[in-house]
Amino acid sequence: MLVGARSEDAIDTNQAFKECLAPILRLIFHVPFAEPQPLVPPHSQAIHALMQFQYTTIAQVWSEQSEWTRQLYSKEDADDEHGYKYMANTLVSVLDQSIHVLIPSGDPDHDGSQSVDATIAPLLLVLVSLAEGNEASKKAMAKQMLPKEKDRLKPVNEGFSLSAYLIRFMTSTMMPQTRDAACETLFALCDKDASKFTQQVGYGNAVGFLVNKGVAMEPPQGSHHHTEDVNPITGQYVKEEKLPDLKDMTDEEKEREAERLFVLFERLKKTGIIDVENPIAKAMQESQGRFEEIQSDSDSD
């Protein structure tokens, strides 16, 4: 019914179904969400419906409902004149709670599924609309969804903070809809500025999205966050970086690290940013060659 409602040519469609929006907003913001996972019917269905509307229509209907909406936000923030920050904060809170329940391990490629993907992505797309449509909403969202100081004590895609989850979504293979929606959300929160985007989420996490959007950007040489030096690839404070000591690593840990580096190099090669032989693959080939040589000598004996 509202498939094309978010496009520029769908203003008439938005207006035609505008009367449907008031009960949708009342359901989302007035009826308590389920626990512990909020994104279940009827709220998940309401989010799907809200996703189809342009921000201008959402804001118009929201303001027309001030008789009951003002009761929700007036006591929480005196500066939130129209309740736009309240809308953003409520939805971000629902997102945060939902992903921690749906992806308890923290790894979207471990816990993710088509069902989880279809549950989280629509809410992120609603948040994109709010961020692009209203500055107050965007600032409220950025405060909660972008990495904080404490998140930079390690690579910004590690940990269980909301920002770490979102940054891991950016490179997920099991949840493509959520991956794209998370990228668009964080990009919008960075004013769609590629430089600011990479500073916030780390170049290594951002490069795939930027290449797909056709945004050419060389790897940064370094960056600063306030007064601290930040690793531009991982987003971590440089002073907090700890290089792994091979002597203290088990064979399994070494194998995992080699696999991680192999995947990283292959991903960078596909983007066209670097055109060098994968050193991990080269080492594996050389190791295999030496093994075959030893095996051949053993057979000849």
Side-chain angles (χ1 to χ4, degrees):
M1 179 173 69
L2 297 173
V3 173
R6 298 183 78 244
S7 69
E8 291 295 330
D9 299 328
I11 297 177
D12 291 341
T13 306
N14 269 240
Q15 292 300 315
F17 291 98
K18 189 177 71 171
E19 292 184 4
C20 300
L21 194 49
I24 291 172
L25 292 173
R26 185 178 286 272
L27 174 57
I28 294 173
F29 294 101
H30 191 65
V31 177
F33 282 86
E35 296 286 347
Q37 205 288 84
L39 288 179
V40 295
H43 287 89
S44 59
Q45 296 164 335
I47 294 292
H48 272 264
L50 184 62
M51 176 183 68
Q52 310 299 331
F53 288 91
Q54 293 181 329
Y55 172 77
T56 51
T57 307
I58 295 174
Q60 178 186 355
V61 175
W62 176 262
S63 63
E64 292 172 354
Q65 305 297 309
S66 59
E67 183 176 339
W68 66 269
T69 59
R70 188 173 296 277
Q71 300 173 23
L72 300 174
Y73 62 82
S74 59
K75 296 179 181 179
E76 294 195 9
D77 189 344
D79 296 328
D80 192 11
E81 182 180 359
H82 301 290
Y84 297 139
K85 287 194 287 185
Y86 172 82
M87 290 177 67
N89 288 335
T90 299
L91 294 178
V92 170
S93 177
V94 169
L95 173 69
D96 193 5
Q97 185 174 345
S98 297
I99 62 177
H100 278 85
V101 174
L102 293 170
I103 309 176
S105 73
D107 183 357
D109 287 340
H110 179 271
D111 296 328
S113 65
Q114 187 175 1
S115 174
V116 174
D117 194 22
T119 299
I120 296 175
L123 179 52
L124 283 168
L125 291 176
V126 171
L127 290 170
V128 172
S129 292
L130 296 183
E132 292 178 343
N134 182 267
E135 190 66 23
S137 295
K138 182 167 69 175
K139 288 181 178 179
M141 291 164 56
K143 188 176 181 180
Q144 300 176 74
M145 299 174 74
L146 293 178
K148 301 178 176 63
E149 297 290 316
K150 63 181 180 180
D151 297 322
R152 297 188 183 278
L153 299 178
K154 50 192 170 186
V156 290
N157 65 333
E158 295 183 5
F160 288 87
S161 66
L162 176 58
S163 62
Y165 266 98
L166 293 173
I167 293 171
R168 285 197 293 275
F169 283 151
M170 293 175 61
T171 55
S172 172
T173 56
M174 293 296 294
M175 300 176 60
Q177 296 180 70
T178 300
R179 177 192 63 218
D180 295 344
C183 288
E184 292 291 350
T185 304
L186 295 175
F187 194 51
L189 295 182
C190 295
D191 303 320
K192 298 189 177 182
D193 182 316
S195 178
K196 185 184 297 186
F197 183 54
T198 56
Q199 288 175 11
Q200 286 288 346
V201 306
Y203 182 80
N205 301 307
V207 62
F209 171 72
L210 293 176
V211 169
N212 288 336
K213 287 187 75 71
V215 179
M217 185 172 179
E218 292 294 325
Q221 300 303 309
S223 63
H224 297 272
H225 189 77
H226 296 297
T227 59
E228 300 281 356
D229 289 332
V230 173
N231 183 319
I233 304 300
T234 65
Q236 181 183 15
Y237 286 138
V238 172
K239 69 177 184 180
E240 299 293 336
E241 291 183 323
K242 296 179 181 178
L243 297 177
D245 190 340
L246 292 178
K247 294 184 297 183
D248 298 330
M249 295 174 69
T250 65
D251 289 341
E252 184 179 351
E253 289 172 334
K254 292 176 183 177
E255 186 175 333
R256 282 203 304 268
E257 183 67 12
E259 183 178 343
R260 185 185 70 81
L261 292 173
F262 178 87
V263 172
L264 178 60
F265 266 93
E266 289 300 304
R267 186 181 298 165
L268 288 173
K269 283 178 65 178
K270 287 180 181 179
T271 65
I273 293 172
I274 62 172
D275 186 20
V276 296
E277 184 176 3
N278 189 323
I280 306 300
K282 182 178 180 181
M284 292 172 63
Q285 291 171 357
E286 291 176 350
S287 176
Q288 180 67 22
R290 286 196 295 270
F291 174 79
E292 291 175 352
E293 183 178 337
I294 293 172
Q295 183 69 31
S296 177
D297 291 343
S298 176
D299 292 342
S300 63
D301 291 341

